[in-house]
Structure formats: structure tokens, C-alpha cells
Amino acid sequence: MISDSKDHKIAKAVQFHDINFWIGENFLSEKLTVDDSSLEKILKERKSKFNIVGTAVTHFISLFYYPKVGNDIISNLLLSAVDKGTLAVSGALVMEQDYFAHPDSFGEGLRKRYKQGFRLLRLFPKSHKYPYDSRCFREFYEVLDYYKFPVMISLDEIDVTGNKNIEWEKILEIAETYKNLPIIIDGGSSKELMYNSYLMILLRNSSNVYVDTHNLFAINQIEDLSQIAGSDRLIFDSYFPYCSTILPVERIRNSSLDEAEIKNIANLNIRRIFENIKIS
Amino acid sequence: MKFNGNKILKNYAIIDSHVHLGYLANLNMPSNSEDDIINLLKDCGVKKAICAHHAALSTVEFGTGKLFESLSRYKGFLYGYLVFNPNFAEKSLDTIRKYMGREEIVGVKIHPAWHLCYPDDSRYDKFWKFAEEENIVVLTHSWNPDVPNKAQKFSDPFLFESVVKKYPDLKLILAHAGGRGEYLYKVVDLLKKYQNLYVDFAGDLFEPCIIERYVNSVGSERLLFGTDMPWADVRYHVTNVLNSDITSKDKKNIFGLNASRLFSIKAI
């Protein structure tokens, strides 16, 4: 770690909850492959080194091969391989193809996955080829809105043309139509968040849109967005294994925000969202 | 802002060799005034910074004027790159000839993707020759062409191979080490072949262990500390070098000693 100053000791005490942590085989890169069996070890190390006390885990197989298979692997890992009590680990559910064939059973499927430990739904509309707008995805958003179950969408996945043509107005429309639905924008590997103002406008014109922090790279971007929209709209994530975990952690610790704002971003915001899910 | 690593940073003389100042129409950051940028750099332990002014990348005459305004405002802390724009080759070269001897000017920046001109295009010929003859350090943008921004094809790092073959004494910094993806790993091969090539990791390049891979492959003497401020916050970069798994000597080289030697400026 980088310092033992008094300020840093306070910052070190901040607990983090990571909503963007991937495991499994990344078929594009061996360097980005994380063995399933190492999950518990890695989570323990991250808790010890960075005070990351909670993690929502996504499996690469869910993105690259088949969502249900990846979700089932996560479910099994949550059941067997991880000490959930100590590590506060949950699953990130990837939208399954079966839900599209049988939308009426989506609510039941979601409740089942919730009981297995899943706490947020990730949408990959570009990779998995489905619409995500407020009308075509209506049946699913209605269920998610009813349960206040958070949805996470990567900017990479809504840049449909692959040429930085992000459909920001679709996000705003979803947020306005489903006001109980927490929508988390994941920066992914997109550079969009670095230098545009759409995000500021989106956050100012909605109350249920959140942004994860790992690629808020530009100067003071985290402080500026906190000032513009409130620290309760930013959510820490590590984007592991694409990014060195220490960088997003230390960026939050080294921010010029006050302690309450740092705690909001580091873990309180996501904890509130998870606790607010209305599935019993 | 108080950077938490400040105590440790006192052990290092940091020179940020890749900073930008000035506004841009598509750069909508509330905190990118020149004072914001300079103050944050200083807060994070940076002792000297070398700037390519956004205005100078956009316009030759107006931009050079803006650069000197900034250099004057932050005298003693800020040094500058002039800009060679191949679309205004003669005018740019005249500007470089005129100002290159100034103490606060330490090199020239080129940006093939910005100016939409390949580095092996004939419009660069006179510049390359002049830079080699006059021992001018050149910082170039370099990036993986396989990205949505099609203009990046002009800055493919491997296009510079013919340039450094033709001008073997040219000192060239490949900024961003070739950018994201596999290029970040391939560019190290260029450094192995050509001893006058340098890289920085400025921008949003935070894949794990990149610095370690470069140090292990080619040593630390040709790696420069650059941030790309305000595009990327200096706090990420300081944290990245401080926590990389390399020796203290390597960190000192990267943070400032290499830049000090290359640009002949003292870090403190």
C-alpha cells in the first residue's frame, strides 16, 4: 500500500463492495482468465489487501458462451465454494435466453435466482442480441421494477454501432418509465465516460440511474459527478481482472470527497440497493 | 486535495512528460482549467511537467501562443512540446526552428491520428530529418488501429518502424505504448529492436502488470512517467507506478530520472 499517513489510515478503514468482478475462462485472453476454484482465495486476498468486503461475481461463460450455464456455475460456487458469511459474495445474473421465450416465467426465475444468491441482473443486449429499450423489454422491466431488482448495463453493450453512438435517451426513458428500477451504468472498456456531458445530463434528469466508477478516469471526474449528481449515484467497482484492483480502490481513497461521500460510493449505495430488493 | 501517498512520494522526483493544457470542444470536464490541472499534479508529488497544449495541436500560430502563455504562467514547473502539424509542414517547421532553443521547450509532439497523416507520409520527411539532426526529442501519439476510432490507424505504432530505421539517431517516445489491447504487449518488441525508442503509459491503460512486463523485457531506462492529464487523472498513474512490482531504482527511473536525462531538465 502507498502510505501510512493519518489520512490514509482513515481511508484504509473504508469498506468496499465490488459489483463488477469476473471469473472463469476468458476465451480471448489467458491473461484475463481466472480459475473458478481460486474464487474464495482471491476474495479473501482482496478483503485483506483492499478491504473489499462484498462482491457481486459474474462468470465469463455467461457472456461468451451461454448465460444459463454461467449463472449455474455461479450458483454452485455460491452454494459450495465460498464462505458467504465472511465475504458477502453474491451473484450477478446474466439475462437468460429462456426468459425471452417465456417472459411470463421471468418473475419466477428471478425469485429462484435471488434465493440462490443473485442480487443484480446484467444486460448484454449487443453481445446477446436483444433489445433493451423501455417498450420491447417492458415485460422484464415491469418485474424488475416491482421487485426493485437492480439492472446493470455496460456502455460497450449499448454502443450499438461500435462507433461511440450511445443511445443515452433510451436509458433516460427506461429510468423515467420504471422509477423503482435501479439502473447501474457500467463503463466497461468504453472511453465515453471520460469526456462527455451526456452522463451529467442523464444523472441530473433521473433519480434511479447510477454509474460505476472504475473508468471515471478523467481529472476529478468522480468529485465532479458527486457534486453534480450526489455521491449517492456513484458505485464502486473494480472491473477485475481487466483492471488492477488497487487503482480504482486507491482512486476512491485518494478522492477529495468527505468521508461520508467516500463511504457512499465505496459500499453504502450498493448495500442500500440490495437491501431494498423486495423479494422475500 | 491531499494525496495519501505523499510521504512515500517524497522519495521520488517525478516528471510528468505527457500533460495537456487548454480546453477542447469535445472535452467536457468541469475541472480542466489550467490551475486545476497544475494544482492536482503538484498535490500528487509531480515536480515538473511537460505539456503539449491542446490549442497547439489544433492550430499552429494561435496554439503556440497559448503554449507560451501557459509556460510563462507556470515558469519553473512547466516545460513544453512544440507541435509539428504535417498539414502545415513549412509553417510548423519554421515555428520549431524559431523556438526550439528556448530553455522551456524540450521537444516536439506529433499526433498522426489528430492530423490524419501517416508518419511515413512525405509531409513528415523534413521534420524527421530536422529532428534527428538537431537531436530533438519527439513525442508521438501511438495507438492500436483496431478500435472504433478509425483515425487511430494513422498512429499505428508499427508505422514508426520505417521512420526509426531511416533516422537511427532520432529519439522517439511512443506515447501510450501503442494503446489498448494486444498492441500494449506488442510494442515492447519495437523497444527491443530500436534503442532510441521510449514509451509512456499515459492515458487509460491500466491492465495489470504492464509496467512489470516492460521492465522485465527491456529494463526501466526507456519508460517514462506520463499521465495524459486531464484525460486521465494523475492519481491513477502515481498509484500504478508506486504499487508495481519493480525495484525502487526502476521506480525512480520511471518517475523522473529517465525524463531528466532525456530532456536535460532537473526534476527538483
Side-chain angles (χ1 to χ4, degrees):
Chain A
M1 304 303 285
I2 60 177
S3 172
D4 57 355
S5 70
K6 189 182 170 192
D7 281 355
H8 205 222
K9 277 180 185 163
I10 294 167
K12 270 182 172 177
V14 173
Q15 295 184 328
F16 289 85
H17 197 118
D18 182 5
I19 56 164
N20 199 4
F21 175 96
W22 292 79
I23 60 163
E25 182 182 321
N26 183 320
F27 83 106
L28 295 171
S29 167
E30 201 174 343
K31 291 188 289 285
L32 298 173
T33 292
V34 184
D35 194 88
D36 290 356
S37 63
S38 64
L39 176 62
E40 183 159 13
K41 182 170 170 272
I42 294 172
L43 295 182
K44 280 180 175 169
E45 276 174 10
R46 285 155 54 94
K47 186 178 180 188
S48 159
K49 278 168 101 171
F50 307 119
N51 214 8
I52 297 175
V53 298
T55 307
V57 183
T58 315
H59 205 283
F60 279 126
I61 279 182
S62 299
L63 173 61
F64 293 130
Y65 173 57
Y66 201 67
K68 186 178 184 308
V69 174
N71 291 338
D72 285 344
I73 292 172
I74 294 289
S75 172
N76 288 332
L77 285 170
L78 293 178
L79 270 176
S80 59
V82 182
D83 177 357
K84 289 200 288 287
T86 322
L87 296 168
V89 61
S90 59
L93 181 68
V94 176
M95 188 71 186
E96 296 178 10
Q97 275 74 1
D98 279 359
Y99 300 151
F100 293 102
H102 308 286
D104 291 347
S105 64
F106 176 62
E108 189 187 329
L110 191 67
R111 286 194 298 275
K112 184 181 133 200
R113 289 299 193 188
Y114 176 86
K115 283 173 186 159
Q116 291 170 349
F118 290 88
R119 291 296 178 272
L120 67 91
L121 177 71
R122 297 191 74 151
L123 303 184
F124 295 96
K126 186 174 166 182
S127 295
H128 295 171
K129 297 183 172 52
Y130 54 77
Y132 67 95
D133 64 84
S134 61
R135 283 172 292 276
C136 291
F137 211 73
R138 176 182 52 81
E139 290 159 293
F140 308 110
Y141 287 138
E142 282 176 354
V143 172
L144 294 161
D145 184 69
Y146 178 78
Y147 287 127
K148 301 182 179 178
F149 198 93
V151 167
M152 188 165 168
I153 311 178
S154 164
L155 281 188
D156 295 321
E157 291 288 325
I158 52 180
D159 178 5
V160 175
T161 63
N163 194 27
K164 299 185 179 181
N165 188 13
I166 307 259
E167 297 164 310
W168 296 97
E169 67 281 5
K170 280 190 181 175
I171 301 291
L172 184 59
E173 193 179 328
I174 298 164
E176 283 183 340
T177 311
Y178 304 101
K179 291 188 185 303
N180 293 319
L181 173 67
I183 302 165
I184 303 167
I185 304 288
D186 165 32
S189 63
S190 169
K191 295 172 82 74
E192 273 304 286
L193 295 182
M194 283 176 72
Y195 42 80
N196 78 51
S197 294
Y198 292 98
L199 194 58
M200 300 176 201
I201 300 295
L202 180 64
L203 290 172
R204 285 178 71 99
N205 284 282
S206 65
S207 58
N208 49 334
V209 174
Y210 303 80
V211 183
D212 68 21
T213 57
H214 79 268
N215 70 339
L216 296 177
F217 288 127
I219 178 173
N220 285 327
Q221 204 172 8
I222 288 172
E223 290 81 357
D224 287 338
L225 284 175
S226 294
Q227 195 172 17
I228 289 164
S231 64
D232 53 347
R233 308 291 288 284
L234 302 181
I235 294 177
F236 168 79
D237 75 312
S238 74
Y239 201 37
F240 175 91
Y242 293 100
C243 183
S244 296
T245 301
I246 192 165
L247 298 175
V249 167
E250 287 294 311
R251 177 64 182 88
I252 302 296
R253 285 175 172 166
N254 282 312
S255 82
S256 57
L257 299 169
D258 66 35
E259 199 178 333
E261 292 173 311
I262 288 176
K263 283 180 176 171
N264 272 343
I265 298 169
N267 82 66
L268 292 181
N269 293 338
I270 193 63
R271 276 179 51 189
R272 284 187 205 108
I273 288 172
F274 286 170
E275 284 164 12
N276 210 25
I277 295 173
K278 298 295 178 202
I279 299 178
S280 52
Chain B
M1 208 289 296
K2 190 176 179 187
F3 187 70
N4 288 321
N6 262 346
K7 264 189 178 176
I8 288 176
L9 287 174
K10 281 179 182 163
N11 299 326
Y12 299 101
I14 302 181
I15 298 174
D16 185 346
S17 62
H18 192 149
V19 169
H20 299 285
L21 292 179
Y23 295 99
L24 267 183
N26 67 346
L27 189 66
N28 301 313
M29 301 171 190
S31 304
N32 74 333
S33 77
E34 297 198 349
D35 278 350
D36 286 335
I37 293 167
I38 298 296
N39 290 337
L40 186 56
L41 286 168
K42 288 180 175 175
D43 283 342
C44 292
V46 175
K47 301 294 189 298
K48 299 279 164 64
I50 311 173
C51 152
H53 205 288
H54 282 137
L57 286 161
S58 306
T59 79
V60 180
E61 209 169 301
F62 173 78
T64 306
K66 297 303 286 182
L67 170 67
F68 279 107
E69 278 178 26
S70 303
L71 293 174
S72 164
R73 195 174 306 130
Y74 306 104
K75 195 172 170 54
F77 176 81
L78 192 65
Y79 292 77
Y81 295 105
L82 297 167
V83 172
F84 176 79
N85 178 346
N87 302 313
F88 294 83
E90 287 305 323
K91 197 175 177 183
S92 286
L93 208 49
D94 286 346
T95 303
I96 292 167
R97 286 193 188 102
K98 184 176 175 184
Y99 294 113
M100 200 58 223
R102 299 270 290 260
E103 186 191 357
E104 65 271 42
I105 298 296
V106 296
V108 173
K109 166 99 186 213
I110 64 165
H111 202 309
W114 195 306
H115 296 134
L116 305 180
C117 180
Y118 292 106
D120 53 0
D121 187 288
S122 61
R123 284 172 282 177
Y124 274 107
D125 286 351
K126 281 186 183 173
F127 168 70
W128 292 128
K129 190 167 182 291
F130 182 74
E132 187 189 44
E133 285 172 359
E134 298 298 321
N135 199 26
I136 294 170
V137 179
V138 180
L139 171 70
T140 180
H141 176 78
S142 72
W143 206 266
N144 181 346
D146 187 21
V147 291
N149 178 2
K150 300 300 175 204
Q152 297 290 11
K153 68 181 180 182
F154 292 100
S155 292
D156 183 332
F158 288 90
L159 293 175
F160 293 92
E161 188 158 13
S162 64
V163 175
V164 292
K165 268 185 187 166
K166 192 170 177 185
Y167 303 98
D169 293 326
L170 178 73
K171 288 175 181 157
L172 183 66
I173 306 165
L174 295 173
H176 317 294
R180 289 178 169 190
E182 282 307 303
Y183 269 63
L184 199 48
Y185 301 92
K186 284 182 187 171
V187 161
V188 75
D189 295 333
L190 285 176
L191 264 72
K192 282 180 188 166
K193 280 170 81 173
Y194 303 101
Q195 295 305 309
N196 280 336
L197 276 184
Y198 297 72
V199 292
D200 70 32
F201 301 102
D204 55 338
L205 311 169
F206 298 118
E207 288 189 32
C209 304
I210 287 298
I211 294 175
E212 290 87 336
R213 287 174 76 99
Y214 271 76
V215 170
N216 291 335
S217 296
V218 294
S220 61
E221 287 78 11
R222 289 183 289 145
L223 313 183
L224 300 172
F225 179 77
T227 60
D228 212 11
M229 280 270 275
W231 299 81
D233 196 299
V234 58
R235 283 167 280 199
Y236 286 110
H237 288 279
V238 171
T239 303
N240 204 19
V241 177
L242 272 181
N243 291 281
S244 57
D245 189 15
I246 55 178
T247 66
S248 174
K249 187 184 169 197
D250 291 330
K251 287 178 189 174
K252 283 179 179 172
N253 278 339
I254 295 168
F255 265 140
L257 291 181
N258 295 337
S260 180
R261 285 187 284 260
L262 183 63
F263 297 107
S264 302
I265 53 178
K266 288 182 181 170
I268 298 175

